[in-house]
Amino acid sequence: MRLCGTGKFAHLVVLPTGVESAAERLVNSSQREGGRDEEIVVQFQDVAVGKTAEKKFKIKNTSAVKTEIQLVRQNSSVTPEVFTFVLNNKNLQPDDLVTLSVKFTPMIINEVCIEYFHLHDRSGGSKTTIKCVGTCKGLCVSFASDTIQFGQLSCGKTSTKSLEIINSSDCEAHYQFALDSSESVFKIDQRCGTLQPRSSKKLICSFQATQPINYYKKLACVIHNQEPLFVTLLGTCHSDAVKPAILEARHVDWYNSLTYRGLSWYSPEQIDAMEKEGNVCLDGDGIPTRQEDHQHTAMEEYFHDGYYSHLAFAVPHVSMNVRDIDFGRRIQLDSIMQKSITLTNHTKDKITCVWMGDTSHVFHVTPNSCDIPPLKSTSFRVTFKPTAPDQFYGAELECYAFYKCLTEYWQLEREYISPPWCLPLGTTGHTFSQQSETFLPKLELSSQKLQFPAVSLGESSFTSLLLRNTGATPIQYDFSNDNSGVFLMKPYRGIVEEGQQQVFLLHMSPTKAGRCEKVLQLRLNDDNRNTQKVVLVGYAEEAAVKLDNDGFLFFRPTCLNTFSTQQYGVRNTCRVPLRFEWMMSSDDAKLLTVSPQSGTIAPNEHQMHKWSFKPKEESRTLMKPVLVVTTTRGRLLSKSYLVPAEGKGTLGSLRAAESSVDCHNILAGCMETKNIDVFNDSDCDLHYELHVDSDKVLLQKCRKILRARTIQTIEATVQPTTCGTFTVAISYQLLSSADDTAVYIGEKRHLCYVVVSAVFPTLVATDVSCHGSASGRNKMQLWNLLNLSRFNSLMMKPLPLSSTSQKTTESMMASRPQVDMSFGAAPVGSEDCIINLTIANTGTISTNWSFVFPSDVQLEVPYWTSSYEGEQISTPDDSLFSVQPKQGHLEAGCSETLTLKYSHKIAGTSRLPVLFTVRQGQQLMLNFVGVSVKQNFPYIHFAQTSHTFSPVPIGEMVYAIHSYELFNGGGVPLKFWLDVRGLKQLCEDNFDCNIFECLTPSGHIPSGSTVSIEWLFTPFEAKTYSVGVPIHVEGGETTVITFSGTGYDGVGEFSADEEVMSPVECRQNFASSYNEQVLKFSKERIIFGDLPLFCEKQQIVFVTNTSENCCMSFKWLVSAEHSQFLTITPAKGLLDPGASQICKVVFTARGVPVLVNNLDVACEVMDETERSLYDKRLDRWLAKARRLKNEFTITDSLDNVSKAFRRSKCCQQRNDKVPMDVDFSPYKILPPITSSTPLSTVKELARIAQDETFASPRVQQALGTLSRPPVPSVLHLSICARVHTIDTFRKRFPDRIKKFFLKELPCFPCADSITPDRSLAGLEHTDEQVLVDVLANILCNLLEEEESVGESLAQLALEPTPYFIQLAPATRQQESAAAAAATRQPETHTSTTFPDTAKAQDLMPEEVTDHDPQKEADEGCDDMTVVNQLLESTLFNIISEAFQGEFNITAPPKLLITKPTL
């Protein structure tokens, strides 16, 4: 038999119930440092004494074995057992839950109770410490006002005031005023009572006096479980003969100031005399400078009066030898019982004592008033005269003593008024005989055992006791005294009327440390049989603590100049809070720090102190800190504890698992987390802070701690904002600790590198083409209309992480960038404007894109309309605009062609905002704009209402010509003119200098065509000029266009070709990617850049037929105006399927400087295969038409035939009368016939259209519909160039002048035309400047060519064969050059529009000398032209052969190894 089993420890987990509020919830702490048990803190808020608060939490057995719960209280004799636990079930099955309830019942007011309980299972597998913390709160009772002034009152009159007492606590409050309303001049209607929680009560206070004196009484209100309250009562009584000064609260303050100065022993008369003599200095109000006195508590002020307690804060001004008189039993009512008391005057002047009451009262004093000299005493007799047998009597008599001089206060210069002193005297007695029994007392005590708060030696403790008389008869009480003086009670003798209550205050002042206990005998109704016991218990404590680890402190090995921390526990083993302070030597203080260094520990609290060790050297160190604990109050007894501490200093460093962390293909604007492993190979813990040198990498937590010989994973968040590859260095710096108060140790150390490869979904527009109504637009015009430069620039900008949400909401519409995309203009009913837009994913990641229309997100159309900033002309409609496809997916490096369509159905301007979104990329609001022009309405379409010319330098001799295009978007030709009055005003504002000059201020534009307006911009200053020019259309609208241009001063500021030549930021050479376009160019935009005059520059364009089965022909359409400076060869060609042709584009800089910006050259493309098939179909159709004309079938009778013959004859006569412009509406109009259709075929088709025979339905049905002939398509090639004068080009581009070959030279007047007698001195300033400029230009050219000319001459001298003999000045060479020039003359393109251009040899004189320099230059230019053409042709042939595949131009050269010779 084989038995198998698994042993497991049980594991208990404490879970909160979740029913507690946020302020009362349980806090589950983590595993404590140093291997301590897990600690759960159960926090009870303030709980009233005698009340019970309860909290519940659950215990779960998370193990797979059953267990038994054991809850053990930590042994402690310090605090009472105020916490109790209730556990319903101790046995727990696996995954079972049990509810544990803890109750808190406080016993002592304002005491913090802390107890520890250990929760563990029987097997000892898990152990959890439960720390219970609770506070017992007392009452919060107060007065709305602590002073009541009754003012002046006549004898026998009564004044009434209200006193509000407020209970702000959550439990009942029992109060009692120390006042006998029957004997005092001050009376309160409810002398004792109960206040409900959170309530208030208004008490009626009255004042009624019979003696004309001032009255002042500081009345105490005793409250159960709270310190007493005091209220000041003031009043003045006047008679007809005596009218003392009215006592006010300021007089009481003045008296208190005198008391603090020690001047209250002198009467006001004496103080007045002392002031006159200069012995005392008073302020303007007669109040001396007040010095601060020790602040006493209300409980100490109530008890320490010198009678009930042997302590007194000050010697009384008037004292009484007894405060309480008990007459005891009196049997005979007719006899008088008297006792004497003595009053002593301790002041420096005579006082008057007046007793309240008269002889009619049961208790009265004789004499009623008496004067007592200073420092003297007087005796009074107290008489007890009862009125009924078997009764209890009690009263509190009052005596008011005051300075005698106050009766004549008007004799004083100042109004010095000292309040009287009120002396109470308690009296009791009864008239029960010895044979009769007293009343049986019925009472309730709040507690039979009173627990005083623990105190230290020299400190007092207080508590209270409540006695309720629940019977129908009064109760006389008499507490026995404690002869040791440790415990005191006030009052200890008196009478409680039926239904009333009495609050007693008890005082404990221990004389030695330890437990203090006393049993007080409560004798009731003067009967020993009615006696109860009240046990008083208190503790006097000395400072004592218990230290963890038997008083030793050890630190782990610590890195030099850093901190290591250690938790060290201190437990208060006494019942009073202790004040502690750690002390150490100066040497130890350099290595050790503790937090907190000083503070307070509550009773039974186990407080953790955080020690930090900072070693300075690599060695072991023994330190000796001392803990000094002291009681917080009392005699402040202290005790010291030595705690040896040992630590070791060592060295440490960090390293990363990888020296370089690679993060590839992260979306720019997005975040990605990367884990970096950091190792600590040293023996010490390291506190460190990480640093990064870029905001592209963020660390989750910069300050960390890494334990010795451990590994830690750091989360690095990579969030690049731009595309590219970035290398971010991560370094670390050691810290003294890991908290916010740490300081840096040493320099930064390198940890690792993070290589970030940031990418961004970059969808850009790469090509655009048009069909339908916009077919007349070239590519650059479409590029500008669709604003694709702004579209591409915005698409290249990454968005922040918060803006890449793909959810389309109204809140995000206005925040997206906007791009206006115009579809141009066309008449209503025209063909749809179809634009093929190619977008390409130029990034390295795939992405999704989509177009969002208003109907797609179900948003209101007016909201989408409001997102467009322009004026709304017509309501946007999704049916007018369409995009196919609306969404898609693009892999990296792929492209897709979109079809954007606008239908010209509704006249007017239509705008529709469409949201274009890219996943994790940009989101743009595309404002589609389309214009449909009414029929027969002239309309010029302006894509924008402003135009900016290219920047122009100031101070130029010749300025370039700019152009501005106007497009006729209507269906009829129009006439336009410009209002140039604004140009004249701008001229007047700039010192009569023409800033802007329009060279073509008016003109005609055919329908659907574009006309260029030439402008001359000549800036006068280096600033930006702007002017608004109205453009009028005959029969149409007027539009104001703002033209602006910038003049600049400096060379090279706008020297880049792309910036000068292209007003839009698009690709320099973009190729068409439209899939349906069969014939494609290698590049559709050629930028020649900046060129000097008389130079020639060539570029090549590859024309490729991408069709697999169609032959295509092309023909370049270069206008006569453009042919003067632009030549394309071959001008036309035929391409087989898949074949290509090289076309050479030659630009010759002639004439005046000009800016050729986006010159559109059209190329007509025809599908020759389709046209051949059409010609065959046309021939068959014509043959069939001829046959049907002559053939017919007779199916009618003879009569019908004769009728038909007559009808046919009549028709023939009518046809002879019909003019040539007859309406042929029954016939289908054929499409326009191009010139490629034979003329005979065209005439035959026209004759068939006029022949009535072909109009019969039979013939039409037999012939069928003739298909439309193929229409040639048009491709566009954009040309950009800027022409400068030679002098301007040399200044602006000094490094480029040598790279150009000047094929033509400017003409200068010959030397013979200059008058030899004219000297330079006689020249005018203008002529002189021209001469200087010409000579400077010639000398500059000679200096530049000096070295090359010298070397060429040296080489020519060594040539064996005189190959360049033609350079010699001979007549034969001159004739040969003239003949060659005449031969080349027909090939040169000339035009009347370029009058400044001419051949150099045509302008030279016929007769020159043998050494004419102009003639030598012409001959050298001709030879250089021949060489240039030769090299150009050679390179062109090489490229053509390589393009045809005859050889590989990129193949490496072959290395021929010859056979070595022996």
Side-chain angles (χ1 to χ4, degrees):
M1 179 183 294
R2 182 180 180 184
L3 301 178
C4 298
T6 302
K8 287 184 175 294
F9 285 103
H11 183 69
L12 302 178
V13 177
V14 180
L15 303 175
T17 59
V19 297
E20 293 84 0
S21 63
E24 299 176 347
R25 64 177 180 268
L26 301 175
V27 180
N28 191 345
S29 63
S30 60
Q31 189 74 17
R32 301 175 64 183
E33 189 177 355
R36 299 181 182 272
D37 301 331
E38 186 181 5
E39 185 178 272
I40 304 296
V41 180
V42 182
Q43 181 71 46
F44 288 91
Q45 299 301 323
D46 295 337
V47 180
V49 62
K51 303 294 183 180
T52 300
E54 182 180 8
K55 287 182 179 293
K56 295 181 180 181
F57 51 90
K58 294 184 179 298
I59 302 175
K60 183 177 181 180
N61 180 13
T62 59
S63 62
V65 296
K66 64 180 181 180
T67 184
E68 181 181 351
I69 299 176
Q70 293 184 358
L71 189 63
V72 180
R73 183 192 302 268
Q74 179 177 312
N75 293 330
S76 175
S77 60
V78 175
T79 57
E81 297 181 359
V82 294
F83 297 97
T84 57
F85 281 84
V86 178
L87 185 61
N88 297 330
N89 184 17
K90 294 185 177 181
N91 297 320
L92 276 182
Q93 298 296 327
D95 294 332
D96 276 359
L97 290 173
V98 65
T99 301
L100 182 63
S101 174
V102 56
K103 298 180 179 180
F104 173 53
T105 306
M107 302 172 59
I108 303 175
I109 300 175
N110 297 330
E111 186 177 64
V112 178
C113 300
I114 300 177
E115 284 194 66
Y116 296 88
F117 297 85
H118 300 293
L119 177 68
H120 57 85
D121 61 291
R122 185 174 56 181
S123 62
S126 63
K127 184 177 181 181
T128 303
T129 300
I130 302 177
K131 180 181 179 181
C132 299
V133 181
T135 303
C136 178
K137 67 176 181 180
L139 299 177
C140 183
V141 180
S142 60
F143 290 135
S145 176
D146 58 353
T147 302
I148 298 179
Q149 296 187 96
F150 290 96
Q152 180 266 332
L153 189 67
S154 299
C155 293
K157 301 295 184 179
T158 302
S159 177
T160 302
K161 298 283 185 179
S162 63
L163 175 63
E164 185 177 6
I165 182 171
I166 304 170
N167 180 14
S168 302
S169 58
D170 296 329
C171 52
E172 294 182 347
H174 304 280
Y175 70 92
Q176 182 171 6
F177 287 92
L179 179 68
D180 187 357
S181 299
S182 61
E183 297 294 338
S184 176
V185 294
F186 300 102
K187 298 174 177 57
I188 298 179
D189 59 344
Q190 300 181 33
R191 191 172 62 90
C192 61
T194 302
L195 285 175
Q196 297 299 322
R198 302 290 178 180
S199 64
S200 62
K201 180 185 295 186
K202 284 190 176 182
L203 308 178
I204 305 301
C205 301
S206 60
F207 171 60
Q208 183 180 13
T210 58
Q211 300 292 336
I213 60 174
N214 287 327
Y215 296 90
Y216 164 71
K217 185 178 181 64
K218 194 170 184 180
L219 181 62
C221 179
V222 183
I223 302 173
H224 186 43
N225 293 329
Q226 182 184 315
E227 291 187 350
L229 301 177
F230 292 92
V231 58
T232 301
L233 304 178
L234 301 174
T236 302
C237 181
H238 285 184
S239 65
D240 295 338
V242 181
K243 299 182 182 297
I246 301 176
L247 184 63
E248 298 178 358
R250 60 187 178 90
H251 299 140
V252 178
D253 295 336
W254 176 79
Y255 171 76
N256 292 333
S257 299
L258 294 178
T259 302
Y260 297 140
R261 289 284 303 274
L263 298 177
S264 61
W265 306 100
Y266 300 94
S267 65
E269 184 179 8
Q270 293 173 333
I271 294 176
D272 189 19
M274 293 169 62
E275 183 182 8
K276 292 178 181 179
E277 295 174 0
N279 295 330
V280 65
C281 182
L282 305 178
D283 60 6
D285 296 332
I287 300 177
T289 304
R290 180 172 181 176
Q291 59 184 13
E292 295 297 330
D293 188 39
H294 176 68
Q295 299 295 329
H296 305 286
T297 63
M299 193 71 76
E300 292 174 343
E301 184 179 357
Y302 180 75
F303 261 104
H304 298 165
D305 54 0
Y307 179 78
Y308 285 95
S309 173
H310 63 282
L311 299 176
F313 297 139
V315 179
H317 295 73
V318 181
S319 64
M320 189 183 299
N321 62 338
V322 294
R323 287 293 183 92
D324 187 80
I325 298 177
D326 184 14
F327 288 93
R329 189 190 307 271
R330 182 182 178 187
I331 303 175
Q332 298 179 1
L333 299 179
D334 53 351
S335 62
I336 297 176
M337 184 178 292
Q338 293 182 345
K339 289 188 178 184
S340 63
I341 60 173
T342 301
L343 270 66
T344 303
N345 180 12
H346 301 279
T347 66
K348 306 295 184 179
D349 201 357
K350 182 185 293 185
I351 64 173
T352 299
C353 297
V354 178
W355 288 90
M356 301 296 102
D358 51 23
T359 58
S360 62
H361 294 183
V362 175
F363 299 96
H364 63 273
V365 180
T366 56
N368 188 23
S369 63
C370 179
D371 294 338
I372 304 177
L375 304 177
K376 299 297 181 180
S377 301
T378 300
S379 297
F380 295 88
R381 291 186 176 275
V382 182
T383 303
F384 174 43
K385 186 174 64 176
T387 58
D390 299 333
Q391 293 291 332
F392 290 103
Y393 295 92
E396 186 181 65
L397 306 181
E398 291 182 352
C399 176
Y400 288 91
F402 53 91
Y403 287 108
K404 180 69 174 180
C405 64
L406 290 177
T407 58
E408 300 176 354
Y409 71 93
W410 57 84
Q411 297 180 2
L412 302 177
E413 292 187 2
R414 292 178 180 268
E415 190 180 354
Y416 295 138
I417 300 177
S418 177
W421 300 282
C422 180
L423 305 176
L425 175 63
T427 58
T428 57
H430 66 90
T431 57
F432 288 92
S433 61
Q434 296 181 354
Q435 293 79 14
S436 61
E437 294 183 357
T438 59
F439 302 137
L440 182 63
K442 293 183 179 180
L443 73 158
E444 290 181 358
L445 291 176
S446 59
S447 177
Q448 293 286 343
K449 184 179 180 180
L450 297 179
Q451 177 76 42
F452 283 84
V455 294
S456 59
L457 288 177
E459 185 184 4
S460 299
S461 180
F462 303 91
T463 187
S464 61
L465 177 66
L466 178 64
L467 185 150
R468 289 192 183 93
N469 185 359
T470 59
T473 57
I475 298 176
Q476 184 185 28
Y477 59 88
D478 186 5
F479 283 93
S480 61
N481 293 326
D482 181 15
N483 297 328
S484 64
V486 176
F487 296 98
L488 299 176
M489 175 178 283
K490 183 179 181 180
Y492 63 88
R493 183 185 295 121
I495 295 177
V496 181
E497 299 295 335
E498 58 273 11
Q500 299 296 320
Q501 63 185 14
Q502 179 67 44
V503 179
F504 304 93
L505 293 183
L506 293 94
H507 170 270
M508 182 190 72
S509 180
T511 57
K512 61 180 181 179
R515 179 185 173 93
C516 300
E517 185 174 353
K518 179 66 177 180
V519 179
L520 296 183
Q521 299 292 333
L522 174 58
R523 191 166 179 266
L524 301 173
N525 291 343
D526 198 17
D527 191 347
N528 294 331
R529 293 172 296 181
N530 299 327
T531 303
Q532 294 189 11
K533 296 180 180 181
V534 177
V535 180
L536 305 179
V537 179
Y539 293 90
E541 296 287 342
E542 293 181 339
V545 296
K546 183 179 179 181
L547 303 176
D548 286 356
N549 200 24
D550 296 332
F552 290 90
L553 178 60
F554 297 95
F555 291 95
R556 292 190 290 272
T558 308
C559 181
L560 298 182
N561 296 323
T562 62
F563 287 92
S564 66
T565 59
Q566 180 69 28
Q567 297 288 341
Y568 191 73
V570 179
R571 182 172 177 267
N572 184 2
T573 59
C574 60
R575 293 177 175 84
V576 294
L578 298 179
R579 183 179 296 108
F580 69 90
E581 183 178 5
W582 289 97
M583 305 181 68
M584 60 191 76
S585 63
S586 58
D587 295 336
D588 293 345
K590 298 178 182 179
L591 305 177
L592 284 178
T593 56
V594 61
S595 177
Q597 188 173 3
S598 60
T600 303
I601 308 178
N604 199 38
E605 181 183 6
H606 187 265
Q607 194 175 92
M608 304 303 297
H609 294 174
K610 184 179 181 181
W611 284 87
S612 298
F613 171 58
K614 181 181 180 181
K616 300 296 183 180
E617 56 185 11
E618 193 174 358
S619 63
R620 290 186 179 272
T621 307
L622 180 63
M623 297 147 287
K624 298 179 180 180
V626 177
L627 176 64
V628 180
V629 292
T630 311
T631 56
T632 57
R633 290 177 294 182
R635 298 179 184 176
L636 303 181
L637 301 177
S638 61
K639 192 174 182 179
S640 301
Y641 297 87
L642 177 64
V643 182
E646 183 178 352
K648 178 184 177 182
T650 183
L651 296 175
S653 61
L654 301 177
R655 68 176 179 88
E658 299 178 2
S659 60
S660 179
V661 181
D662 296 331
C663 302
H664 297 295
N665 293 338
I666 298 178
L667 286 174
C670 297
M671 296 189 302
E672 185 172 324
T673 302
K674 194 74 174 180
N675 293 332
I676 303 176
D677 294 333
V678 180
F679 291 89
N680 179 11
D681 299 329
S682 58
D683 296 332
C684 56
D685 298 345
L686 295 180
H687 305 277
Y688 65 95
E689 183 179 51
L690 298 176
H691 299 273
V692 292
D693 58 358
S694 175
D695 57 354
K696 296 179 177 62
V697 177
L698 299 179
L699 301 179
Q700 184 179 14
K701 186 179 181 182
C702 294
R703 295 193 174 187
K704 294 177 178 292
I705 178 174
L706 186 56
R707 301 298 180 185
R709 299 189 178 278
T710 56
I711 182 176
Q712 192 174 61
T713 300
I714 300 173
E715 291 187 0
T717 302
V718 182
Q719 52 175 15
T721 57
T722 57
C723 300
T725 301
F726 314 95
T727 301
V728 180
I730 298 180
S731 59
Y732 72 94
Q733 192 170 9
L734 296 180
L735 300 174
S736 58
S737 61
D739 53 10
D740 296 335
T741 60
V743 295
Y744 295 106
I745 305 299
E747 300 295 334
K748 293 182 180 180
R749 305 180 187 180
H750 175 72
L751 183 62
C752 65
Y753 289 102
V754 178
V755 180
V756 182
S757 178
V759 296
F760 185 74
T762 53
L763 264 65
V764 297
T766 59
D767 185 32
V768 62
S769 60
C770 59
H771 302 278
S773 62
S775 59
R777 302 276 190 171
N778 58 38
K779 192 174 293 290
M780 288 308 303
Q781 291 175 345
L782 290 175
W783 193 276
N784 295 330
L785 282 176
L786 297 179
N787 208 355
L788 296 181
S789 297
R790 173 175 170 79
F791 176 83
N792 289 344
S793 63
L794 292 176
M795 292 302 297
M796 296 298 292
K797 296 179 181 179
L799 286 181
L801 182 62
S802 59
S803 303
T804 56
S805 174
Q806 301 299 313
K807 187 175 181 181
T808 305
T809 59
E810 296 183 4
S811 59
M812 59 164 255
M813 299 300 295
S815 63
R816 296 296 180 258
Q818 297 187 8
V819 178
D820 295 339
M821 287 191 171
S822 176
F823 287 77
V828 176
S830 301
E831 295 183 73
D832 294 345
C833 177
I834 303 175
I835 298 177
N836 298 310
L837 178 63
T838 302
I839 58 175
N841 185 1
T842 58
T844 58
I845 58 173
S846 61
T847 186
N848 296 329
W849 56 268
S850 64
F851 287 87
V852 182
F853 279 69
S855 59
D856 298 337
V857 292
Q858 297 180 357
L859 289 181
E860 295 293 335
V861 172
Y863 175 79
W864 285 73
T865 306
S866 63
S867 65
Y868 184 75
E869 299 178 355
E871 181 184 358
Q872 179 67 24
I873 297 181
S874 63
T875 303
D877 189 0
D878 290 6
S879 61
L880 299 180
F881 298 93
S882 64
V883 178
Q884 291 296 331
K886 276 191 175 183
Q887 58 185 2
H889 177 81
L890 274 181
E891 297 291 337
C894 297
S895 61
E896 186 172 355
T897 300
L898 311 178
T899 301
L900 284 66
K901 182 184 295 185
Y902 169 66
S903 300
H904 298 279
K905 299 178 180 178
I906 304 176
T909 302
S910 300
R911 296 185 176 96
L912 180 66
V914 177
L915 185 65
F916 180 69
T917 63
V918 179
R919 183 176 61 88
Q920 299 296 334
Q922 186 63 264
Q923 298 179 359
L924 302 180
M925 182 62 68
L926 307 180
N927 296 311
F928 287 174
V929 181
V931 179
S932 297
V933 185
K934 297 179 181 179
Q935 294 291 343
N936 301 326
F937 182 78
Y939 177 78
I940 296 180
H941 179 67
F942 297 96
Q944 297 178 351
T945 58
S946 62
H947 178 74
T948 302
F949 296 113
S950 298
V952 175
I954 61 175
E956 294 290 325
M957 299 298 297
V958 180
Y959 288 91
I961 298 177
H962 303 260
S963 62
Y964 178 70
E965 294 181 346
L966 297 179
F967 178 75
N968 183 2
V972 294
L974 59 85
K975 179 181 179 181
F976 71 93
W977 67 92
L978 278 69
D979 189 353
V980 296
R981 288 178 294 179
L983 305 180
K984 296 179 181 179
Q985 182 63 36
L986 182 63
C987 177
E988 295 176 0
D989 296 341
N990 289 273
F991 311 101
D992 294 334
C993 295
N994 289 327
I995 304 300
F996 294 104
E997 182 179 358
C998 182
L999 303 181
T1000 53
S1002 62
H1004 293 78
I1005 308 177
S1007 175
S1009 300
T1010 302
V1011 171
S1012 295
I1013 302 177
E1014 294 183 350
W1015 286 82
L1016 188 62
F1017 174 46
T1018 57
F1020 181 71
E1021 298 178 275
K1023 67 176 185 179
T1024 300
Y1025 298 89
S1026 179
V1027 63
V1029 177
I1031 299 179
H1032 303 277
V1033 178
E1034 183 178 359
E1037 299 177 351
T1038 300
T1039 305
V1040 178
I1041 304 299
T1042 302
F1043 293 93
S1044 59
T1046 302
Y1048 67 93
D1049 184 11
V1051 178
E1053 184 175 354
F1054 296 93
S1055 60
D1057 289 341
E1058 289 77 11
E1059 295 179 0
V1060 173
M1061 309 316 304
S1062 177
V1064 294
E1065 298 178 3
C1066 59
R1067 286 188 170 187
Q1068 179 179 353
N1069 298 319
F1070 52 80
S1072 176
S1073 59
Y1074 180 46
N1075 297 330
E1076 297 181 2
Q1077 182 175 316
V1078 178
L1079 202 66
K1080 294 187 178 181
F1081 296 155
S1082 60
K1083 50 186 176 182
E1084 296 188 357
R1085 186 164 185 249
I1086 298 177
I1087 295 180
F1088 288 100
D1090 294 274
L1091 303 174
L1093 274 174
F1094 313 112
C1095 76
E1096 186 178 86
K1097 193 171 184 180
Q1098 305 86 14
Q1099 289 200 25
I1100 59 176
V1101 176
F1102 296 94
V1103 183
T1104 304
N1105 182 9
T1106 60
S1107 177
E1108 298 179 356
N1109 49 14
C1110 294
C1111 294
M1112 306 297 294
S1113 64
F1114 66 91
K1115 180 181 180 181
W1116 295 101
L1117 305 179
V1118 181
S1119 63
E1121 179 183 0
H1122 297 161
S1123 63
Q1124 299 175 14
F1125 54 86
L1126 184 66
T1127 304
I1128 303 179
T1129 55
K1132 59 182 177 179
L1134 179 65
L1135 296 177
D1136 294 333
S1140 299
Q1141 176 70 43
I1142 299 179
C1143 293
K1144 182 169 63 174
V1145 182
V1146 182
F1147 184 88
T1148 304
R1150 289 191 178 95
V1152 297
V1154 67
L1155 175 62
V1156 181
N1157 192 4
N1158 300 325
L1159 174 64
D1160 181 50
V1161 179
C1163 180
E1164 187 181 78
V1165 178
M1166 174 61 73
D1167 189 347
E1168 296 297 334
T1169 303
E1170 182 65 25
R1171 189 172 65 175
S1172 176
L1173 296 177
Y1174 172 75
D1175 291 340
K1176 294 180 180 179
R1177 291 195 299 269
L1178 181 61
D1179 292 341
R1180 290 195 299 268
W1181 191 87
L1182 291 175
K1184 187 177 181 179
R1186 299 187 194 100
R1187 180 173 55 83
L1188 291 176
K1189 179 180 179 182
N1190 299 324
E1191 292 181 359
F1192 59 90
T1193 302
I1194 301 175
T1195 58
D1196 296 335
S1197 59
L1198 184 60
D1199 296 336
N1200 294 335
V1201 171
S1202 59
K1203 293 179 181 179
F1205 177 76
R1206 290 193 298 270
R1207 185 167 55 252
S1208 176
K1209 188 175 181 179
C1210 294
C1211 292
Q1212 184 176 2
Q1213 294 176 359
R1214 287 196 300 269
N1215 290 337
D1216 295 338
K1217 299 178 182 180
V1218 174
M1220 293 303 295
D1221 56 352
V1222 66
D1223 183 16
F1224 297 101
S1225 58
Y1227 306 98
K1228 182 175 180 64
I1229 303 300
L1230 296 178
I1233 305 300
T1234 61
S1235 59
S1236 59
T1237 305
L1239 182 61
S1240 58
T1241 304
V1242 175
K1243 293 181 178 180
E1244 186 174 0
L1245 290 175
R1247 184 179 57 79
I1248 292 175
Q1250 296 180 0
D1251 195 345
E1252 193 179 72
T1253 306
F1254 295 95
S1256 63
R1258 181 184 64 83
V1259 177
Q1260 291 289 339
Q1261 183 178 2
L1263 287 176
T1265 304
L1266 180 62
S1267 60
R1268 298 176 62 88
V1271 179
S1273 60
V1274 178
L1275 300 182
H1276 299 272
L1277 179 66
S1278 178
I1279 305 295
C1280 296
R1282 167 176 272 179
V1283 180
H1284 305 267
T1285 62
I1286 299 177
D1287 187 36
T1288 302
F1289 192 86
R1290 181 179 290 108
K1291 291 180 180 179
R1292 296 191 60 193
F1293 312 102
D1295 298 335
R1296 300 189 189 180
I1297 188 65
K1298 297 181 180 181
K1299 299 180 181 181
F1300 291 95
F1301 169 67
L1302 302 181
K1303 185 176 181 180
E1304 301 173 357
L1305 293 177
C1307 58
F1308 298 99
C1310 61
D1312 297 338
S1313 62
I1314 302 176
T1315 305
D1317 297 336
R1318 188 175 182 181
S1319 62
L1320 295 177
L1323 295 178
E1324 296 181 359
H1325 177 71
T1326 305
D1327 298 337
E1328 181 180 357
Q1329 186 65 32
V1330 171
L1331 181 60
V1332 170
D1333 292 341
V1334 172
L1335 293 177
N1337 190 12
I1338 295 173
L1339 293 176
C1340 182
N1341 290 334
L1342 292 177
L1343 291 175
E1344 290 179 357
E1345 302 294 337
E1346 179 181 1
E1347 182 178 357
S1348 60
V1349 170
E1351 294 177 357
S1352 300
L1353 294 177
Q1355 292 177 3
L1356 289 176
L1358 300 177
E1359 286 286 343
T1361 303
Y1363 181 78
F1364 298 102
I1365 193 64
Q1366 64 269 20
L1367 296 177
T1371 307
R1372 183 176 300 174
Q1373 278 77 9
Q1374 294 176 2
E1375 295 175 356
S1376 301
T1383 304
R1384 291 193 303 268
Q1385 183 68 23
E1387 299 178 0
T1388 304
H1389 299 281
T1390 59
S1391 174
T1392 57
T1393 59
F1394 297 91
D1396 297 336
T1397 305
K1399 288 293 184 177
Q1401 57 269 25
D1402 297 338
L1403 302 176
M1404 295 301 298
E1406 297 179 358
E1407 296 181 0
V1408 294
T1409 61
D1410 294 341
H1411 300 284
D1412 190 355
Q1414 181 69 28
K1415 180 179 179 181
E1416 294 179 1
D1418 293 340
E1419 294 175 353
C1421 181
D1422 293 336
D1423 296 327
M1424 293 173 64
T1425 303
V1426 173
V1427 174
N1428 182 71
Q1429 292 178 354
L1430 179 62
L1431 293 176
E1432 178 184 337
S1433 300
T1434 302
L1435 293 176
F1436 184 77
N1437 293 334
I1438 293 174
I1439 295 176
S1440 299
E1441 293 175 1
F1443 182 71
Q1444 297 297 332
E1446 298 181 8
F1447 70 96
N1448 188 4
I1449 196 173
T1450 61
K1454 296 181 180 181
L1455 181 62
L1456 300 178
I1457 302 176
T1458 60
K1459 184 177 181 180
T1461 60
L1462 298 177

